[in-house]
């Protein structure tokens, strides 16, 4: 049996993380800490798919429903990390096992690894998943702090002060560009230089060492086809559970914040998509036009949830698996395929039982073909531009997919034909 275990149950939306977290806690005596940033807010229990009292089966759940959606103050990953580390100590003092459950992988990463975040004096930063509010005083010398400045202008400003960081960011990744500029403004040191200082050695791609020696990470996923069908079905279930009523009540209480801010609670998938419908006069919501807007909201929720699941999957490969490819101690890591819903709990518990019994588990990241290659460092993030197709992208894997795609091949063929015509002319 492990002396001081901590278990992370993370992964794609709709894979059964909450149920597995409860099962682990029941068998081994644990308490759950939520790492789903949108569940931090009070309300929207259906829209954010919060675990119900019945589903929790008496297991304590922390870091849920503690933020006021109308509070304009920031809550960021640094605050989450400190609060969670304090919770972990308290849970362990009760001789319980902390179980981190959720899909906000960036927040989970802040707990899993030490020295993984660059500290700045500002309590609000544009890496925040919860809120990215900014004050006018921060915009004096760095163009990144103005909403009037284009994404390209922000990126060019970053390239001027930190070319290496700029070359690893797409110009449209506004939040990361702003954060890199903020780091430079507050510290006087380029972010790329600080990242290099954080790296303990050359064997691991990312800075930061494992915080807890006895750490298990279960990453839950499913085949894209199964997951998309499951996610679409979940939206239909939310409607049956009373999504419309919940949205209307939440909107009536927090209307001002919803319309004044594009950050904070407005980042919740399951709320922002329905604002056009909610903004209608109440009688209009039940008209054919209202029904059409509500249906569009549902379709957008399904689309955005599928897109979010893809981003979660990319994080697993680019931010977690590559840490296992080095000499220093890493977390035990296993991917759990949840495509068969009847086996989620049994397969998940088999992983936990094996690990709790003293067996270290590591995902095999060896690759047999280029499609499965785990890109690292600059290869994973380098900004590349195809002038022929007039498109920019980050990562050599995305570049390879682009040049192998129909659009690029069509552009190449068209360019050759135009060149041949010019030569003949």
């Amino acid at each position: 049996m492990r002396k001081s275990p901590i278990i992370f149950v993370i992964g794609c939306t709709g894979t059964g993380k909450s149920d597995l977290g409860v099962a682990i806690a029941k068998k081994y005596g644990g308490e759950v800490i939520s790492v789903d940033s949108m569940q931090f807010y009070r309300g929207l229990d259906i829209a954010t798919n919060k675990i119900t009292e019945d589903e929790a089966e008496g297991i304590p759940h922390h870091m849920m429903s503690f933020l006021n959606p109308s509070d304009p103050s920031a809550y960021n990953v640094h605050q989450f990390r400190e609060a969670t580390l304090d919770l972990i100590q308290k849970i362990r003092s009760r001789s319980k096992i902390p179980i981190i459950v959720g899909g906000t992988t960036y927040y989970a990463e802040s707990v899993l690894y030490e020295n993984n975040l660059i500290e700045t004096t500002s309590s609000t930063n544009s890496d925040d998943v919860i809120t990215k509010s900014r004050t006018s005083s921060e915009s004096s010398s760095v163009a990144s702090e103005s909403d009037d400045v284009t994404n390209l202008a922000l990126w060019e400003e970053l390239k001027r002060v930190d070319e290496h960081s700029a070359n690893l960011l797409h110009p449209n990744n506004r939040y990361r560009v702003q954060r890199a500029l903020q780091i430079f403004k507050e510290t006087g040191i380029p972010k790329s230089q600080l990242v290099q200082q954080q790296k303990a050695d050359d064997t691991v791609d990312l800075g930061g060492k494992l915080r807890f020696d006895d750490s298990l990470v279960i990453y839950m996923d499913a085949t894209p086809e199964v997951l998309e069908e499951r996610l679409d079905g979940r939206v239909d279930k939310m409607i049956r559970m009373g999504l419309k009523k919940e949205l209307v009540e939440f909107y009536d209480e927090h209307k001002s914040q919803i319309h004044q801010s594009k950050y904070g609670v407005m980042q919740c998938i399951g709320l922002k998509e329905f604002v056009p419908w909610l903004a209608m006069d109440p009688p209009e919501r039940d008209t054919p036009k209202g029904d059409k807007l509500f249906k569009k909201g549902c379709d957008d929720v399904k689309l955005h949830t599928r897109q979010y699941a893809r981003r979660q999957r990319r994080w697993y490969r680019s931010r977690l698996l590559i840490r296992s490819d080095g000499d220093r101690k890493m977390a035990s890591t296993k991917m759990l395929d949840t495509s068969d819903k009847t086996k989620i709990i049994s397969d998940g518990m088999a992983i936990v039982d094996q690990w709790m019994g003293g067996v270290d588990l590591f995902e095999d990241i060896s690759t047999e073909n280029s499609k499965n290659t785990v890109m690292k460092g600059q290869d994973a993030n380098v900004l590349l531009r195809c002038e022929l197709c007039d498109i920019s992208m980050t990562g050599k894997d995305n570049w390879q997919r682009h040049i192998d795609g129909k659009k690029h091949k069509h552009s190449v063929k068209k360019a050759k034909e135009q060149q041949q015509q010019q030569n003949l002319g």
Side-chain angles (χ1 to χ4, degrees):
M1 184 71 75
R2 303 274 176 174
K3 288 185 179 180
S4 301
I6 181 169
I7 300 172
F8 292 76
V9 181
I10 58 179
C12 290
T13 300
T15 51
K17 297 184 295 291
S18 297
D19 292 341
L20 181 58
V22 168
I24 297 170
K26 287 177 63 179
K27 179 168 183 177
Y28 287 102
E31 298 184 22
V32 171
I33 300 175
S34 173
V35 67
D36 187 324
S37 63
M38 293 302 101
Q39 293 185 358
F40 295 169
Y41 291 103
R42 291 192 290 272
L44 295 179
D45 292 5
I46 297 173
T48 60
N49 199 38
K50 290 178 186 173
I51 191 169
T52 66
E53 186 175 347
D54 289 341
E55 291 169 342
E57 298 187 44
I59 298 299
H61 280 64
H62 307 278
M63 299 301 285
M64 295 177 70
S65 301
F66 64 93
L67 290 180
N68 179 0
S70 290
D71 187 350
S73 62
Y75 188 85
N76 58 48
V77 66
H78 300 266
Q79 293 167 285
F80 169 82
R81 177 193 59 191
E82 297 310 309
T84 300
L85 292 178
D86 182 60
L87 267 173
I88 289 170
Q89 288 185 340
K90 291 177 179 177
I91 291 171
R92 286 178 164 173
S93 72
R94 296 190 284 268
S95 299
K96 299 290 185 179
I97 296 175
I99 303 167
I100 315 296
V101 178
T104 307
T105 47
Y106 177 56
Y107 276 42
E109 189 178 0
S110 74
V111 177
L112 185 59
Y113 292 100
E114 293 181 345
N115 304 319
N116 201 59
L117 302 173
I118 296 175
E119 306 292 344
T120 55
T121 57
S122 175
S123 62
T124 307
N125 66 69
S126 50
D127 264 351
D128 297 348
V129 174
I130 299 301
T131 178
K132 301 182 178 68
S133 61
R134 296 179 295 279
T135 63
S136 58
S137 63
E138 293 175 333
S139 62
S140 57
S141 61
V142 179
S144 65
E145 303 305 323
S146 173
D147 285 337
D148 297 329
V149 179
T150 66
N151 290 348
L152 182 59
L154 299 182
W155 182 83
E156 288 175 343
E157 174 69 5
L158 176 60
K159 188 174 182 180
R160 185 181 67 81
V161 299
D162 186 358
E163 184 174 0
H164 183 75
S165 291
N167 288 335
L168 297 179
L169 289 171
H170 193 288
N172 290 341
N173 196 343
R174 187 181 185 93
Y175 301 147
R176 300 298 187 196
V177 171
Q178 287 177 321
R179 174 58 173 161
L181 281 164
Q182 181 199 19
I183 288 170
F184 177 75
K185 179 184 176 183
E186 294 192 13
T187 67
I189 303 172
K191 178 186 174 183
S192 56
Q193 185 176 332
L194 290 171
V195 169
Q196 287 299 320
Q197 293 172 1
Q198 283 186 335
K199 292 184 178 181
D201 56 44
D202 294 330
T203 65
V204 178
D205 190 64
L206 299 174
K209 67 177 183 177
L210 188 66
R211 190 183 299 277
F212 305 105
D213 287 341
D214 282 337
S215 298
L216 170 65
V217 177
I218 300 176
Y219 184 85
M220 303 178 70
D221 203 346
T223 62
E225 298 78 15
V226 169
L227 191 59
E228 290 187 9
E229 181 180 354
R230 195 178 293 170
L231 293 175
D232 288 352
R234 195 166 78 173
V235 175
D236 298 332
K237 179 183 176 182
M238 287 160 56
I239 295 172
R240 294 194 298 270
M241 292 175 64
L243 177 64
K244 274 189 174 183
K245 182 174 182 291
E246 177 182 88
L247 288 171
V248 169
E249 292 176 351
F250 188 89
Y251 181 78
D252 289 344
E253 184 176 355
H254 304 288
K255 184 185 303 183
S256 176
Q257 178 67 10
I258 288 172
H259 284 291
Q260 289 179 7
S261 176
K262 59 183 177 181
Y263 305 114
V265 72
M266 275 304 293
Q267 291 189 316
C268 287
I269 297 176
L271 171 63
K272 58 187 177 183
E273 295 82 1
F274 294 104
V275 170
W277 174 74
L278 289 166
M280 301 178 78
D281 290 334
E284 285 188 294
R285 293 173 185 157
D286 294 324
T287 65
K289 182 180 178 181
D291 292 340
K292 184 177 180 180
L293 279 178
F294 185 79
K295 183 181 183 304
K296 184 180 186 306
C298 292
D299 292 340
D300 287 344
V301 168
K302 295 175 181 179
L303 172 63
H304 294 161
T305 305
R306 291 195 296 270
Q307 292 172 337
Y308 182 48
R310 288 195 288 271
R311 291 196 298 272
Q312 290 170 313
R313 187 178 292 115
R314 286 197 298 270
W315 175 89
Y316 172 61
R317 295 192 63 80
S318 66
R319 300 284 296 178
L320 183 61
L321 277 189
I322 57 176
R323 292 182 184 271
S324 301
D325 189 20
D327 293 334
R328 65 177 159 174
K329 187 172 178 60
M330 293 293 115
S332 285
T333 305
K334 288 300 292 183
M335 196 280 282
L336 175 60
D337 186 351
T338 69
S339 299
D340 185 347
K341 293 182 67 173
T342 65
K343 297 173 63 180
I344 293 175
I345 301 301
S346 60
D347 287 354
M349 290 307 299
I351 293 172
V352 177
D353 293 344
Q354 188 179 14
W355 181 76
M356 287 292 287
V359 179
D360 289 329
L361 306 170
F362 297 98
E363 197 67 37
D364 181 12
I365 63 171
S366 61
T367 58
E368 297 179 0
N369 57 63
S370 60
K371 290 184 179 180
N372 293 324
T373 299
V374 180
M375 293 288 176
K376 298 185 180 183
Q378 187 160 327
D379 286 346
N381 299 293
V382 63
L383 180 64
L384 299 166
R385 178 167 181 78
C386 177
E387 298 294 344
L388 194 60
C389 300
D390 190 25
I391 187 173
S392 299
M393 65 209 73
T394 53
K396 289 187 177 179
D397 53 347
N398 289 326
W399 175 261
Q400 189 63 46
R401 281 193 289 270
H402 171 70
I403 63 176
D404 289 340
K406 291 182 179 179
K407 179 181 178 181
H408 180 75
K409 290 180 178 178
H410 175 74
S411 298
V412 170
K413 181 180 178 181
K414 187 175 181 180
K416 286 181 178 179
E417 291 174 349
Q418 291 176 344
Q419 185 63 48
Q420 289 173 352
Q421 290 177 355
Q422 290 176 1
N423 292 339
L424 290 174

